[in-house]
Amino acid sequence: MIATKAYAAYNATTPLAPYDFERRTPGPHDVQIEILYCGVCHSDLHQARDEWGGSIYPMVPGHEIVGRVIATGNHVTKFKAGDLAGVGVMVDSCRTCKNCKNDLEQYCVEGMTGTYNAMERDGKTIAQGGYATQIVTDEKYVLHLSDKLELAGVAPLLCAGITTYSPLRYAGITAGMKVAVIGLGGLGHMAAKFAVSFGAEVSVISTSPSKKADAEKLGAKHFIISKNADEMKACNSYFDIIVDAVSAPHDFTPYLNLLDVNGKLLVVGLPTEEPKVSPFSLITNRRSIIGSMIGGIKETQEMLDYCAEKGIVADIELIKVQDINNAYERMLKGDVKYRFVIDIASLK
Ligand code: NAP
Ligand code: ZN
Ligand code: ZN
């Protein structure tokens, strides 16, 4: 077994605190990774605080994991010691259902195995995430990383990156399409970067006037304050695509009204309360609402390779693991520019 230091949530209400546990000894297909950086996703906070229900404790959050391979099992072919490697939101799936076979493991019929807050497929081990010094994962669910990019900024690509890249690709974004992003947080700023890189005309719809300059720096042409009725009205039926990356409860109707004919609201944000959707807003302009969960392993690798080619990384604020509880509070206030990343050296 491999001694691992971590930070864990012990229950839904007390701050995360140090936690020591053991990872399995690498099996024939496993890769042992020394974690260097781990991004902080709003899903970590939702789950640590049991906002979605059913949380498993103690919980080591973290599914934006990058590090270096230190050992491999006998049958591992994709990795060798010394390679950079990443682990995202899932670490296993059934591998045999139609969705797994179609590179859509995130929609595994049996349910994917989450990187944390899940049981491993042995049914008895709690899967633990990346606020930790080590992880051991089957090579099939481990990603190759480019050494050309700044590694701390690569970590958020493993969740925020693929979660926004996948639906934007699915929606077929092409040059000149009008794309809006709601919520300039971790996911939102990656959505803006990808949409700009695909040649779209990008707008940001935000609750935070202070983010205007940053939105423009990201390449946004318009910056709209969602609480300003006049600004919203001016965008009526304007956009082809809107990416909803908001973590807090909100209704869909005011955003649906901004979609042109055949416009699509791509929903990735996961607040707990159900949104209001006006059927009248939906039928007008034949609008649709499409949900999307992370991306398959093949598409995640494609996204990482695309980022390496285009020089795309997340804009990050590096923190020590000891600062994680404060980071969660700041995330709740929308005070993140634009992803916290934990320097795992602070755990050692
Ligand atoms: P984040 O960094 O905290 O960003 C969320 C943003 O939402 C904030 O920065 C803020 O942007 C906006 N916002 C906050 N409160 C709002 C309100 N009351 N009304 C409107 N906008 C508000 O969170 P994240 O890590 O990007 O995650 C976003 C959501 O996606 C979370 O719910 C997360 O669980 C979910 N998620 C889903 C998937 C998936 O597979 N679908 C994967 C990862 C995460 P402004 O300041 O610009 O308003
Ligand atoms: Zn995430
Ligand atoms: Zn499956």
Side-chain angles (χ1 to χ4, degrees):
M1 301 298 266
I2 296 158
T4 304
K5 285 187 178 174
Y7 253 57
Y10 286 85
N11 56 58
T13 53
T14 57
L16 271 66
Y19 175 62
D20 291 335
F21 71 108
E22 290 183 327
R23 301 280 192 190
R24 66 174 180 264
T25 306
H29 299 281
D30 283 337
V31 175
Q32 180 185 349
I33 300 166
E34 180 188 22
I35 302 176
L36 297 171
Y37 300 102
C38 184
V40 178
C41 180
H42 207 111
S43 302
D44 299 349
L45 190 162
H46 287 311
Q47 292 175 92
R49 300 189 177 176
D50 199 21
E51 290 173 0
W52 297 339
S55 284
I56 302 168
Y57 300 101
M59 178 196 302
V60 179
H63 56 208
E64 295 184 336
I65 300 165
V66 298
R68 213 170 268 288
V69 174
I70 52 175
T72 55
N74 304 338
H75 293 162
V76 169
T77 57
K78 277 168 59 184
F79 293 90
K80 58 179 190 323
D83 286 352
L84 290 174
V87 177
V89 179
M90 68 184 150
V91 289
D92 213 340
S93 65
C94 86
R95 308 171 188 212
T96 56
C97 74
K98 64 176 179 32
N99 296 342
C100 283
K101 288 200 163 138
N102 286 332
D103 297 309
L104 293 168
E105 305 90 345
Q106 75 276 34
Y107 304 125
C108 174
V109 172
E110 287 187 9
M112 67 172 199
T113 304
T115 301
Y116 67 87
N117 192 25
M119 299 308 287
E120 303 255 5
R121 296 194 97 76
D122 66 7
K124 54 185 184 202
T125 312
I126 301 177
Q128 298 290 19
Y131 301 181
T133 50
Q134 308 261 337
I135 191 164
V136 176
T137 308
D138 188 299
E139 66 166 337
K140 206 169 150 43
Y141 299 84
V142 180
L143 287 309
H144 287 286
L145 308 178
S146 166
D147 58 9
K148 292 196 204 100
L149 298 175
E150 188 238 331
L151 198 58
V154 170
L157 302 179
L158 275 304
C159 175
I162 185 59
T163 301
T164 49
Y165 179 91
S166 182
L168 286 170
R169 281 292 195 212
Y170 178 75
I173 305 296
T174 48
M177 276 173 86
K178 296 183 180 106
V179 176
V181 177
I182 322 171
L184 198 59
L187 267 57
H189 96 291
M190 288 311 307
K193 286 191 183 208
F194 286 130
V196 166
S197 82
F198 300 157
E201 180 203 290
V202 176
S203 301
V204 169
I205 305 175
S206 175
T207 58
S208 309
S210 64
K211 292 180 181 172
K212 184 167 195 251
D214 288 336
E216 283 164 1
K217 246 188 268 160
L218 287 169
K221 190 168 168 200
H222 308 289
F223 183 79
I224 301 129
I225 294 297
S226 51
K227 293 172 190 159
N228 183 319
D230 293 337
E231 290 186 22
M232 291 289 274
K233 207 167 163 203
C235 300
N236 209 24
S237 299
Y238 183 77
F239 298 109
D240 299 303
I241 300 289
I242 300 179
V243 180
D244 181 341
V246 175
S247 53
H250 62 289
D251 291 328
F252 288 169
T253 303
Y255 301 106
L256 279 176
N257 291 339
L258 309 187
L259 287 168
D260 197 1
V261 172
N262 296 331
K264 296 172 180 67
L265 180 68
L266 306 177
V267 176
V268 291
L270 285 170
T272 37
E273 281 169 41
E274 290 183 14
K276 279 199 188 129
V277 181
S278 157
F280 290 93
S281 293
L282 198 56
I283 67 165
T284 301
N285 286 348
R286 194 165 56 196
R287 294 160 174 146
S288 53
I289 302 174
I290 300 176
S292 187
M293 184 161 73
I294 51 167
I297 294 297
K298 187 177 170 202
E299 193 176 36
T300 305
Q301 190 63 61
E302 175 195 307
M303 178 273 313
L304 288 164
D305 296 346
Y306 178 81
C307 289
E309 184 195 319
K310 302 276 180 184
I312 296 174
V313 289
D315 298 344
I316 64 144
E317 182 176 335
L318 200 62
I319 60 166
K320 295 192 171 91
V321 74
Q322 294 78 7
D323 295 331
I324 188 64
N325 296 299
N326 183 38
Y328 279 6
E329 291 311 314
R330 285 183 54 196
M331 190 152 61
L332 279 175
K333 291 188 214 137
D335 175 23
V336 189
K337 295 196 165 174
Y338 278 89
R339 197 58 143 185
F340 291 118
V341 172
I342 302 170
D343 183 354
I344 297 297
S346 61
L347 251 178
K348 287 168 190 166

